[in-house]
Amino acid sequence: HLSLTEGAVRLPGSTELELLRISHEAINAARRRPDVKHIWVTLRVDPPAASMVIEDDGTPDAAGIYRTADLRMMVERAERIHAAVFVERRQPRGSTVRVEVGGRDAEGAVG
């Protein structure tokens, strides 16, 4: 499921590219879990800020929501565009990856 909110002004190309790559990492990680039936991607762009949320309805595995390599790659990509990554398990099911670009409070971010 995809929801986009954007205006006439775009983010810098490098920021758009890193957000796309982070979304690929999060979506692929969710798809590897066998019980994920739905993935929701919400992107709100208001340059220079943006917020991207990737949610799923699966059960996090015992090792955590994402493999260490998946999470490390998302954090590295976010750092390149001065963004913050937040990862959480939702109860009773599901997980959320949230990426905040552009001056939002990074307290509690992964990385």
Side-chain angles (χ1 to χ4, degrees), residues 3-68:
S3 174
L4 300 172
T5 304
E6 57 186 346
V9 178
R10 293 184 64 166
L11 293 167
S14 60
T15 302
E16 289 181 350
L17 182 60
E18 293 300 347
L19 286 173
L20 176 65
R21 289 179 175 167
I22 293 168
S23 71
H24 286 169
E25 294 284 342
I27 291 166
N28 286 335
R31 291 183 64 213
R32 279 194 296 274
R33 299 201 325 268
D35 64 340
V36 171
K37 302 282 190 261
H38 300 279
I39 299 171
W40 296 269
V41 179
T42 304
L43 177 64
R44 290 182 175 81
V45 178
D46 186 17
S51 175
M52 180 173 67
V53 179
I54 296 106
E55 300 174 283
D56 68 67
D57 61 353
T59 304
D61 58 19
I65 300 172
Y66 296 99
R67 297 182 312 189
T68 303

